[in-house]
Amino acid sequence: MEKKFYTLLVYSENIAGILNQITAVFTRRQVNIESLNVSASSIKGIHKYTITAWSDPDQIVKITKQIEKKIDVVKADYYTDDEVFIHEVGLYKISTPKLMENPEISRTIRWNDARMMEVNPTYTTVQLAGVTEDITSLFEKLNEFGCLLQYSRSGRIAVTRSMEEPISEYLHQQERIDNGKA
């Protein structure tokens, strides 16, 4: 079966050890996590995990169901790229002397809508926010100039294209059940 790139959005209580439980599901199924980002969600006390991985459709369904069975996980869903808005950040540390001697480097940074965060005599820090392809494209261009000292890319962050955060409806349903109105 053909593998596709999926983004999983997992919501859980902020409990120590839950990240290990979630990643163990991927490990048991021999699926490599491409990126992982964890942060507080828009709902107090709930954390959001954005996980990307290559998988086939049957396997991603099983992974999502297994994650959702974890006691501290509130909700888990998977999405393809056309179902979510995605963003990443790339940080590039480049040689200031090379930047000063080659104006093409500066032009490339501007053409890619990146911005210089810090410039000192030794290095210049550049930031680019965008989709994965933009981040890696600028990396390749700067690497070709031979000016790159360090590079780091964040994990993906994502929101669904739906009007409401998926967990909101789930929490409303749970509240109705808890209040005996289901």
Side-chain angles (χ1 to χ4, degrees), residues 63-74:
I63 288 170
T64 304
K65 284 181 181 178
Q66 278 188 307
I67 290 171
E68 204 164 43
K69 284 181 183 176
K70 302 293 176 194
I71 196 158
D72 297 316
V73 170
V74 177

Side-chain angles (χ1 to χ4, degrees), residues 10-145:
V10 179
Y11 299 87
S12 79
E13 295 179 33
N14 188 16
I15 306 294
I18 190 69
L19 177 59
N20 187 43
Q21 292 177 42
I22 291 169
T23 58
V25 173
F26 288 89
T27 303
R28 279 194 299 276
R29 294 204 170 265
Q30 305 257 312
V31 173
N32 188 45
I33 292 173
E34 296 293 324
S35 74
L36 171 66
N37 184 296
V38 182
S39 64
S41 75
S42 60
I43 299 165
K44 187 178 179 178
I46 302 293
H47 273 59
K48 181 178 182 178
Y49 300 73
T50 306
I51 305 166
T52 61
W54 288 94
S55 179
D56 62 61
D58 292 340
Q59 192 172 45
I60 202 70
V61 168
K62 290 174 184 171
I63 288 170
T64 304
K65 284 181 181 178
Q66 278 188 307
I67 290 171
E68 204 164 43
K69 284 181 183 176
K70 302 293 176 194
I71 196 158
D72 297 316
V73 170
V74 177
K75 183 87 173 120
D77 288 302
Y78 64 91
Y79 302 91
T80 56
D81 280 359
D82 60 330
E83 297 172 307
V84 289
F85 291 106
I86 57 173
H87 218 67
E88 291 183 15
V89 174
L91 289 177
Y92 314 83
K93 185 175 177 181
I94 61 175
S95 164
T96 300
K98 289 187 179 186
L99 173 67
M100 300 311 261
E101 72 186 35
N102 185 348
E104 205 52 41
I105 297 172
S106 181
R107 273 191 217 101
T108 299
I109 291 167
R110 285 193 312 275
W111 286 337
N112 284 272
D113 290 326
R115 65 185 199 111
M116 292 184 193
M117 305 288 292
E118 178 184 352
V119 179
N120 68 43
T122 310
Y123 64 86
T124 299
T125 307
V126 176
Q127 176 188 349
L128 177 62
V131 295
T132 308
E133 295 77 18
D134 295 341
I135 306 291
T136 56
S137 174
L138 181 57
F139 164 76
E140 290 163 4
K141 291 172 187 170
L142 292 174
N143 207 30
E144 286 174 14
F145 288 121

